[in-house]
Amino acid sequence: MATGFFWDERCFWHSGGNYAFMSPVGGLVQPMATGGLPEDPETKRRLKNLLDVTGLLDTLHSQSAPAITEDDLLRVHPASYLENFRSTSTAGGGELGLRTPFGPDGYDIACLSAGLAKEALFATLTGRVDNAYALSRPPGHHCLPDFPNGFCLLANIAVAVEAALAARMVDRIAVLDWDVHHGNGTEAIFYDRDDVLTISIHQERNYPLDSGDFEDRGSGAGEGFNLNVPLPPGAGHAAYIEVMDRLVIPQVQGFQPDAIVVACGFDASGVDPLSRMLAGSDTFRQMTGMTREIADDLCDGRLTLVHEGGYSAAHVPFCGHAVLEALSDSPITAPDPLAPRIAGQQPGPRFQAYCTTLIAEMEAALTS
Ligand code: ZN
């Protein structure tokens, strides 16, 4: 099994914004001694470092990638947005949307992040590797064509998918987003299209506050090609696996994609500061295994994961390690020190039955 791992130290140098957690400093909000926005390089760098220390990284095809080209970006983003982003970056950085501050070279780093996603997808599609993981930063799934939000400055996965479609490497791609927040950017970009199936599993009403409803199934030619699975706060391992089994896998099977891309956020973790869910590293490991199985069945195993959110610097490395173990069939493990705590906090039978009822209602609506 050849698994590509695409990363670049420069992506960890993306910075900007004088925030205390999610709030701009000023008034009564005191600047933080350390930190700032939760979208901090340490979560990602510590994942790469853990892979290094266990030796798993040595077994992967580890590499960087060229920055995304302007031609690639223009399939998703208007020229005016790119010009504004580039000139603001050259002037030292700024803020063009909502919670997406960036510093000097922010444009170039975002182009590199999108380039990692494209290269990972292309490496999978051309057979250079069997599957791939892109440690992209800044993330991309919230970014709209002309409005950056939720720490996302360029729509990494959408840009990569459009590049693969334009190159006629594939006709149909499924994008599965298990970041705990709604993949509103990816949804919006492909909402009226039938060649890209978008699926988002997320905590209901987390971010954005006004999107991600189950009823939003796409429009026009895209009707039926978008699926939102909002879950209540507190849903844990069993709910995620049940969603994969009863909702995600049948939808992807019905779509018959030529490749699958996962927007891989780790912020459904039971210790993530930006969510109230109870996934563990085994949840991510198992979801990766299930996605690999459907990719094997449907599209010669062509599976690419692109890193999105995940804000627990202590836990993300172990979740990511579990995903890369599952992706590469590796015997190298990194026992998760938080696994017993998260396992002990899983919902009891009454709440689990409630989750099962919600999932069964969505399943019935999809099959009716
Ligand atoms: Zn997220």
Side-chain angles (χ1 to χ4, degrees), residues 30 109 129 247:
Q30 180 185 335
I109 297 172
V129 294
L247 304 178

Side-chain angles (χ1 to χ4, degrees), residues 141-142 150-151 177 179-182 207 265-268 272 274 308-311:
H141 73 146
H142 294 306
F151 318 139
D177 186 329
D179 185 282
V180 81
H181 304 105
H182 176 223
Y207 183 85
F266 295 113
D267 38 13
D272 193 278
L274 295 195
E308 296 286 354
Y311 306 99

